[in-house]
Amino acid sequence: QVQLVEFGGGSVQSGGSLRLSCVASGYTYIRYCMGWFRQAPGKEREGVAAIQRDGTIRYADSVKGRFTISQDNAKNTLYLQMNSLKPEDTAMYYCAADPAMAFRELLSPRAFKYWGQGTQVTVSS
């Protein structure tokens, strides 16, 4: 059974940093595509950053240059380093996994089968 558990959310001031972690279990981690998504109140869930099995990475335009996705295969853990945070980054952040997908689908929530429970990130101005 695939399980994803996120850690690291919190409250920070604008310009601050946070690092999110997602610990995966129940499957062979390196064989899955992994991604970070977020959902603000009243808005649709959107892709933030994702990584394919071959290491190809895709970022949403809104976070390019500020967020970095990475992974530690030995620890079955996905990370999202978030720097220069803005109030508009405030959202529930989710980790997701799926066995395979095309590059163009990497930031599409519908393409991912497995989801964590989310961790809240709040950025104050």
Side-chain angles (χ1 to χ4, degrees):
Q1 182 178 358
V2 175
Q3 287 191 324
L4 304 170
V5 181
E6 300 96 336
F7 301 94
S11 297
V12 295
Q13 290 191 326
S14 182
S17 298
L18 283 173
R19 188 174 83 153
L20 305 183
S21 302
C22 170
V23 180
S25 62
Y27 67 99
T28 305
Y29 178 83
I30 61 173
R31 295 183 182 175
Y32 275 56
C33 301
M34 302 293 297
W36 287 102
F37 295 80
R38 66 186 181 188
Q39 188 167 18
K43 294 189 176 181
E44 293 188 356
R45 191 170 296 189
E46 62 175 0
V48 175
I51 184 166
Q52 284 185 307
R53 292 180 296 177
D54 65 359
T56 302
I57 290 173
R58 187 173 178 184
Y59 293 100
D61 289 343
S62 59
V63 306
K64 281 181 182 175
R66 300 189 298 122
F67 290 12
T68 303
I69 188 172
S70 63
Q71 58 189 358
D72 185 333
N73 292 335
K75 296 182 179 180
N76 288 0
T77 301
L78 181 74
Y79 302 101
L80 185 68
Q81 178 66 44
M82 304 186 294
N83 299 328
S84 302
L85 282 162
K86 305 175 181 179
E88 50 264 44
D89 294 319
T90 295
M92 184 72 79
Y93 282 71
Y94 299 90
C95 172
D98 195 86
M101 69 185 63
F103 178 79
R104 65 180 182 276
E105 299 179 293
L106 273 178
L107 296 181
S108 173
R110 293 182 221 172
F112 284 80
K113 182 175 182 179
Y114 302 104
W115 292 85
Q117 293 301 306
T119 185
Q120 178 68 38
V121 172
T122 302
V123 185
S124 58
S125 57

